[in-house]
Amino acid sequence: MSSSLAHIIKHRNVICQGVAILCLEKFAGRCKVYSLRILVPRSNGTALLKTLSESTRNFIKSSEVTDYYLNTIYERWRWANAGTPPAGIILGKGAVHITVNRHFVDYILHNQTAQAFLNWCRNASVPDETIFASLNHNAHLAIPGPANGYVKPYIKNSRYKNWGTQPCAGRMVRSICIFGIGDLPVLSKRKELFANKFYMNYQPFTFDCMEELIYNRTKEGYFKKMDATLL
């Protein structure tokens, strides 16, 4: 999903920044037409780390909202003017980067509780960092796929980001590593679906090499399947 959608979008009285409900509605129809089972909104500066086959195999039964935080005193400013959330939802903050199955998308778009929560989030600050994380981590809502309540420590499987906690062979910009050629050995072994962040005007061969790696892995996977059918 292009970052051209990463701006304020008003739709059905819900204001979202980044990953918008409008985007989910657009792709929900395609999921039915093409039998797609997971939705991974993708921003610019992000490279694939896994093939499509590997991605669906690892995430088909789950939903994930990355970088999730509990409702702590440091985050409550976000909801100070919104009142009490509906349906006993315990609030949390998460990144706008999500990996969800089609059942989770259907719930957000069509469930009455989800719609009530979306309307409640109109008065929250940065609502898209509240909507997906909170719905994903309230087990009593019984949404197919999400985490079973609050997971601590939270496992982040969607995107690999280096916030300076590991060596950066590229350069640090606003506390995040812009990957360079020297990061390729690490990137090739990561378990996440994507890596972020890349700059197209900074060591662009880094991104090119990652694309070639995924292409080769995809091709090898098809060849292995063909060999298995011939045995």
Side-chain angles (χ1 to χ4, degrees):
M1 184 177 297
S2 170
S3 63
S4 63
L5 292 173
H7 58 274
I8 298 295
I9 297 178
K10 294 185 179 180
H11 186 64
R12 289 190 178 178
N13 297 322
V14 179
I15 302 177
C16 288
Q17 181 178 1
V19 183
I21 303 303
L22 178 61
C23 306
L24 298 183
E25 289 184 335
K26 178 180 178 180
F27 284 91
R30 296 186 181 183
C31 288
K32 294 179 180 178
V33 174
Y34 297 105
S35 298
L36 300 177
R37 292 179 286 180
I38 60 172
L39 175 64
V40 187
R42 179 180 172 186
S43 59
N44 286 346
T46 301
L48 282 167
L49 294 179
K50 299 294 181 184
T51 66
L52 179 60
S53 177
E54 292 171 329
S55 300
T56 54
R57 183 169 62 250
N58 292 334
F59 288 88
I60 204 66
K61 295 181 180 180
S62 65
S63 292
E64 184 196 28
V65 180
T66 62
D67 300 331
Y68 181 80
Y69 301 95
L70 296 176
N71 182 350
T72 67
I73 191 172
Y74 303 106
E75 299 294 340
R76 290 177 186 170
W77 62 270
R78 297 170 175 270
W79 316 297
N81 299 321
T84 302
I89 292 175
I90 299 176
L91 301 172
K93 180 261 183 186
V96 299
H97 298 147
I98 61 173
T99 303
V100 295
N101 60 36
R102 62 189 302 174
H103 303 295
F104 188 78
V105 175
D106 286 339
Y107 183 92
I108 293 176
L109 296 180
H110 304 123
N111 182 272
Q112 290 183 352
T113 298
Q115 292 300 308
F117 187 58
L118 291 176
N119 288 327
W120 179 89
C121 284
R122 287 185 299 170
N123 297 316
S125 299
V126 199
D128 55 343
E129 292 186 350
T130 297
I131 293 170
F132 304 111
S134 297
L135 290 177
N136 194 52
H137 282 272
N138 276 264
H140 70 280
L141 299 178
I143 308 173
N148 184 19
Y150 291 104
V151 179
K152 186 178 181 180
Y154 193 65
I155 301 173
K156 309 176 187 69
N157 290 323
S158 287
R159 286 162 176 78
Y160 169 56
K161 304 174 185 178
N162 182 357
W163 292 100
T165 57
Q166 302 175 47
C168 175
R171 67 181 184 184
M172 299 296 295
V173 177
R174 291 186 290 275
S175 301
I176 191 170
C177 178
I178 308 302
F179 296 119
I181 295 291
D183 292 302
L184 286 172
V186 174
L187 293 171
S188 65
K189 298 176 182 178
R190 296 296 305 186
K191 65 180 181 179
E192 293 85 356
L193 293 178
F194 298 97
N196 181 276
K197 180 178 292 276
F198 297 84
Y199 281 175
M200 296 300 100
N201 60 356
Y202 175 73
Q203 298 191 17
F205 284 121
T206 310
F207 194 90
D208 294 340
C209 288
M210 288 305 304
E211 286 194 330
E212 184 172 354
L213 174 63
I214 297 305
Y215 171 79
N216 290 335
R217 286 179 177 174
T218 301
K219 183 173 63 175
E220 291 170 0
Y222 280 117
F223 285 154
K224 289 180 180 179
K225 290 181 180 179
M226 291 176 62
D227 291 341
T229 59
L230 296 174
L231 293 177

